[in-house]
Amino acid sequence: MKKTILVASLILSLVFTWLPAIANAAERVDIIIRGGTVVTMDGTSRVIENGAVAVKGERIIAVGTTSDIAAKYTAARTIDAAGKVVMPGLINTHTHVPMVLFRGIADDLVLMEWLQKYIFPAEAKNVDEQFVRWGTRLGCLEMIQGGTTTFVDMYYFEDAIADETARAGMRAVLGETVLDFPAPDNKTWDAAMAYAETFAAKWKGNALITPAIAPHAPYTVSTDHLKQTHSFSQRLGVPLVTHIAEDQAEVKTIQERYGASSVAYLDRIGLLDERVIAAHMVWPTSDDIITLAKRSVGVAHCPQSNMKLAAGAAPVPQMLKAGVAVGLGTDGAASNNDLNLWEEMDTAAKLHKFTSKDPTVLNAREALEMATIRGARAIHQDKDIGSLEGGKRADLIIVGMDSAHQTPVYNIYSELVYATKASDVETVMINGRIVMQNRRVLTIDERSVRVKANEYRDRIRKSIAAQ
Amino acid sequence: MKKTILVASLILSLVFTWLPAIANAAERVDIIIRGGTVVTMDGTSRVIENGAVAVKGERIIAVGTTSDIAAKYTAARTIDAAGKVVMPGLINTHTHVPMVLFRGIADDLVLMEWLQKYIFPAEAKNVDEQFVRWGTRLGCLEMIQGGTTTFVDMYYFEDAIADETARAGMRAVLGETVLDFPAPDNKTWDAAMAYAETFAAKWKGNALITPAIAPHAPYTVSTDHLKQTHSFSQRLGVPLVTHIAEDQAEVKTIQERYGASSVAYLDRIGLLDERVIAAHMVWPTSDDIITLAKRSVGVAHCPQSNMKLAAGAAPVPQMLKAGVAVGLGTDGAASNNDLNLWEEMDTAAKLHKFTSKDPTVLNAREALEMATIRGARAIHQDKDIGSLEGGKRADLIIVGMDSAHQTPVYNIYSELVYATKASDVETVMINGRIVMQNRRVLTIDERSVRVKANEYRDRIRKSIAAQ
């Protein structure tokens, strides 16, 4: 009798030992990240304690508890995330990345003095293809170190920016800026549009880079030219990135010129649709907000930039309520002065409590959504990024949770939005590739970037002093 | 002839070689920090490239160029600060330090729900002497890591907080909180005042700790009791720390109860003088601001806490214009949720640009002054701390300047306020003692603090769930 039980239990134990192994053999993946608190940001806001993420190639295969994932998958490589958070990479919905080379060049000034005395002369004298290459390297370095995996850019020489961004292993929507003035890369409208066409054709379909057209703003691009950019966006199926309703001066100009608010005017000329990513949107009317929702326009909210330039506070709670897709952006480092989305989350949550006179407005989870899944919706890529779900692109970050400033942890969303810093991000994966491991960026040579940035600083200083 | 010249130049060269050495021998100091950009925050806002600071015992002996200091002093120990900034330690003019153990316990709530459902029950059930000891260790750890060298506290069991703060090597003004309700440490007014008396007598004259009396607020302490605290402050020569005009509800209550604004009421009863440190001051009238300046009251401005709790924006530009000494505070981590003055500087500069609709308001240098020399004035210790000047206490920090998010550097104040993070602080000296070196805190055992904080978290969670 005892012998029978012994044999039976031996058989059972063999079955239980081998079954998972057989199942595992059936599905082999590249990387399993396990043991962490997985903050999925999915439709049900699932948070999985002792969770795991299985990654194969460029995509997430599955998300679940560590034991579930271990039962179904084996991997060549496992990463232990015990005591850490595994979450989607952050999405910076608005920046001008090469402008990091102008970081802090001129602060605490009124917009026109800032632009005309510093930024325009500095750009005219210094911005060329090499400038944007080094600026993009520096900007990508900072963004990767802070857990940003996707950004939306508006600048010049976007083909070079695309090249450097892809080398850094980052995901981006890159909008070649076109406007009714000579730009550092193209001196005429037609040349700029031709450049954009070549650029878009070259990068369309790339796994990381989404080329886009970026008419600067409704007050710097004529109605005819704006219509051209919309046709371009439709014809090539690429996003249209622009600034809308950034400050009251713009709204006044558009009202005087076209007899309508910025949003109403752009809607009248047919610009607004589900390919548009509109930065700032500080001054939409209630009707404008309805229009934005109806046209599925994505909005990039830049709270720190808007405060620093005294532009105002965008009506974010109202836009969210109306169903507008609102993400977070840093704006360029010449105005903000960093590319840190942790601080934008924190500021957004606090700013809208303050302006609404209601501390329950824009809670921590909503602020984190704006930096992840809502940001993905704002840039029209929520099918692919913004949350940790099987089938999506493997864009994720591992965040340490045991710094003194994070201790102790009661609520994971509060902790991430109000206490966690960019320096707590440890490991960054974009499109299945690890680009930062234990705070070492693997795709960019940090030292050469620093040396070159300082050279540019010296040169730029001289160029401004000489004017 | 040639020989004479040779001999003469030999003598001369000997004189020039030995003169500095003889001078050096005359003044030997303990530590020289050299080769850095010294941002003094002194009366002339002197910034010294390739500068040095000589420290002897608890004080700064001299500040100058590296070559000047090398010519006049020798030191047992030198610290190379090349490529880094050497500046005064930051001053946190308002916090409740042990509340770090409640960090993130309840956010995004209206004040009364937050207080009555979470904070008061959690405090009643958990706050004892051991709690404040571990909370102070955790809080000091976070503050030292972020370059804060002095803080102003309001809590209970301040004698234990003083003991832990002194062990951590930090400077602090510690206000024993007294109010017309039973507190975790003292159940009656008389017991609390007796505790404060013993506490003040014990610590008065300590090089690091300034004991203080802290009547909670004008709406939680009766007029008679407030007058008692003022006599206490006068008699013992200690600061009086309190909350004044934090939100509109308070202002309304005081108006109804006493027929005056909070400031006017407190002035009428004789509370306001050059020993008062008043936190928040969100809602002073124009007349109140004149009173604050006339009475030399120091103000602790807490921009992030005020925004998060939707209390409002203090009229900081107006207070500064009127000559009121305004510093920066984080408030407690249960509301804010960290003790990070870099983010308070950044937020203060942006918030007041936004509310003033003027991007030139509260420039980077002024924001940095609020965290250093103006903060020292606000806590009435500017003769001793807040700037790097010969004769002052040696409270200073060395800040790395080569992170990607800081690169490149055009303007040192912009860089420190808008781009530098707490994680860039490398070395911290308080009262001549190095308490953090290359990011390793030497005075607190980080691991034991983390373990204990998590134990408290588990216990506190249960105590709230059980109510």
Side-chain angles (χ1 to χ4, degrees), chain A residues 394-444:
Chain A
D395 289 10
L396 59 84
I397 62 179
I398 304 176
V399 185
M401 295 304 287
D402 64 357
S403 303
H405 59 256
Q406 297 173 299
T407 303
V409 179
Y410 287 90
N411 174 294
I412 199 68
Y413 295 114
S414 272
E415 201 59 28
L416 290 169
V417 170
Y418 299 127
T420 298
K421 313 296 170 200
S423 54
D424 297 314
V425 177
E426 295 180 0
T427 294
V428 176
M429 174 188 282
I430 305 174
N431 211 41
R433 178 188 185 192
I434 292 173
V435 296
M436 180 168 86
Q437 191 171 11
N438 301 323
R439 292 210 63 72
R440 205 168 73 79
V441 175
L442 307 175
T443 52
I444 301 167

Side-chain angles (χ1 to χ4, degrees), chain A residues 70-258:
Chain A
K72 290 180 191 153
Y73 305 95
T74 56
R77 180 174 179 188
T78 58
I79 297 175
D80 181 18
K84 303 177 198 299
V85 159
V86 184
M87 57 178 276
L90 303 182
I91 299 171
N92 187 347
T93 60
H94 183 65
T95 189
H96 311 280
V97 73
M99 294 184 89
V100 285
L101 291 174
F102 297 133
R103 186 196 311 276
I105 193 173
D107 291 303
D108 308 319
L109 299 172
V110 294
L111 185 67
M112 280 305 136
E113 192 183 351
W114 177 77
L115 268 176
Q116 289 172 358
K117 271 202 185 164
Y118 295 91
I119 301 303
F120 285 161
E123 285 189 333
K125 288 172 188 160
N126 296 287
V127 175
D128 58 17
E129 191 187 311
Q130 280 306 305
F131 175 98
V132 307
R133 283 190 181 275
W134 284 105
T136 302
R137 283 174 204 167
L138 176 59
C140 287
L141 183 65
E142 180 184 354
M143 286 192 280
I144 290 171
Q145 286 176 342
T148 297
T149 53
T150 297
F151 67 96
V152 177
D153 196 61
M154 275 183 83
Y155 210 59
Y156 311 107
F157 299 102
E158 285 289 341
D159 182 57
I161 295 175
D163 192 37
E164 294 300 331
T165 302
R167 279 172 205 261
M170 284 194 79
R171 188 179 309 287
V173 175
L174 302 177
E176 169 68 18
T177 303
V178 291
L179 74 177
D180 292 350
F181 306 98
D185 52 353
N186 295 290
K187 301 306 162 199
T188 67
W189 176 264
D190 289 344
M193 289 302 285
Y195 178 102
E197 180 105 21
T198 310
F199 164 61
K202 179 171 165 191
W203 290 95
K204 189 108 211 287
N206 185 283
L208 288 171
I209 306 300
T210 303
I213 185 81
H216 176 264
Y219 60 95
T220 49
V221 183
S222 70
T223 307
D224 266 2
H225 284 169
L226 284 172
K227 286 181 178 170
Q228 274 187 43
T229 63
H230 183 254
S231 306
F232 181 102
S233 159
Q234 275 201 312
R235 181 165 51 84
L236 300 177
V238 297
L240 187 153
V241 181
T242 189
H243 299 106
I244 304 179
E246 180 170 0
D247 63 14
Q248 287 182 302
E250 171 196 326
V251 171
K252 192 162 166 268
T253 301
I254 298 300
Q255 188 69 44
E256 285 169 5
R257 222 182 266 175
Y258 305 109

Side-chain angles (χ1 to χ4, degrees), chain A residues 275-310:
Chain A
R275 288 205 179 84
V276 173
I277 304 169
H280 301 302
M281 201 58 77
V282 177
W283 297 101
T285 65
S286 320
D287 285 349
D288 288 345
I289 292 176
I290 295 168
T291 303
L292 294 171
K294 199 158 57 182
R295 301 287 184 235
S296 302
V297 169
V299 168
H301 172 46
C302 305
Q304 292 206 340
S305 167
N306 297 157
M307 290 172 78
K308 184 150 175 278
L309 297 171

Side-chain angles (χ1 to χ4, degrees), chain B residues 186-444:
Chain B
N186 295 291
K187 301 306 163 196
T188 66
W189 177 263
D190 290 343
M193 290 301 286
Y195 178 102
E197 180 104 25
T198 311
F199 164 62
K202 180 171 164 191
W203 291 95
K204 189 108 212 287
N206 185 284
L208 289 171
I209 307 299
T210 303
I213 184 79
H216 176 265
Y219 60 95
T220 50
V221 183
S222 70
T223 307
D224 267 2
H225 285 170
L226 284 172
K227 286 180 179 170
Q228 276 187 42
T229 63
H230 182 253
S231 305
F232 181 102
S233 158
Q234 276 199 312
R235 182 165 51 85
L236 301 177
V238 297
L240 187 154
V241 181
T242 189
H243 300 105
I244 304 179
E246 180 170 0
D247 63 14
Q248 286 181 302
E250 171 196 326
V251 171
K252 194 163 164 265
T253 301
I254 298 300
Q255 187 68 46
E256 284 169 5
R257 223 182 264 176
Y258 305 108
S261 73
S262 300
V263 170
Y265 157 63
L266 294 171
D267 192 39
R268 194 172 72 203
I269 67 169
L271 192 96
L272 303 182
D273 64 22
E274 73 293 345
R275 288 205 180 85
V276 173
I277 304 168
H280 301 302
M281 201 58 76
V282 177
W283 296 101
T285 64
S286 321
D287 285 348
D288 290 344
I289 293 175
I290 295 167
T291 303
L292 294 171
K294 201 159 54 181
R295 301 285 183 236
S296 302
V297 168
V299 168
H301 173 46
C302 305
Q304 292 205 340
S305 167
N306 297 157
M307 290 173 79
K308 183 149 174 279
L309 298 171
V316 170
Q318 293 84 334
M319 289 194 277
L320 292 178
K321 206 173 165 192
V324 179
V326 184
L328 288 173
T330 58
D331 207 353
S335 44
N336 191 7
N337 306 1
D338 55 40
L339 306 177
N340 186 320
L341 279 173
W342 300 92
E343 294 186 5
E344 298 295 338
M345 280 193 267
D346 185 59
T347 301
K350 286 170 177 153
L351 175 62
H352 298 291
K353 289 168 170 56
F354 166 62
T355 56
S356 308
K357 296 180 181 158
D358 180 354
T360 68
V361 165
L362 205 58
N363 65 35
R365 204 196 68 223
E366 288 170 318
L368 192 61
E369 285 172 356
M370 288 174 68
T372 55
I373 187 63
R374 286 180 192 267
R377 265 180 229 137
I379 68 169
H380 316 296
Q381 296 200 10
D382 49 308
K383 277 183 193 144
D384 265 327
I385 58 172
S387 60
L388 301 184
E389 296 180 73
K392 283 202 173 184
R393 297 273 176 185
D395 290 8
L396 58 84
I397 62 180
I398 304 176
V399 185
M401 295 304 287
D402 64 358
S403 303
H405 58 258
Q406 298 172 300
T407 303
V409 179
Y410 286 90
N411 174 295
I412 199 67
Y413 295 113
S414 272
E415 202 60 26
L416 290 169
V417 170
Y418 299 128
T420 297
K421 314 296 171 199
S423 55
D424 297 314
V425 177
E426 295 180 0
T427 293
V428 176
M429 175 187 283
I430 306 174
N431 210 42
R433 177 187 183 193
I434 292 174
V435 296
M436 181 168 86
Q437 190 171 12
N438 301 323
R439 290 210 64 71
R440 204 168 74 81
V441 175
L442 306 175
T443 52
I444 301 168

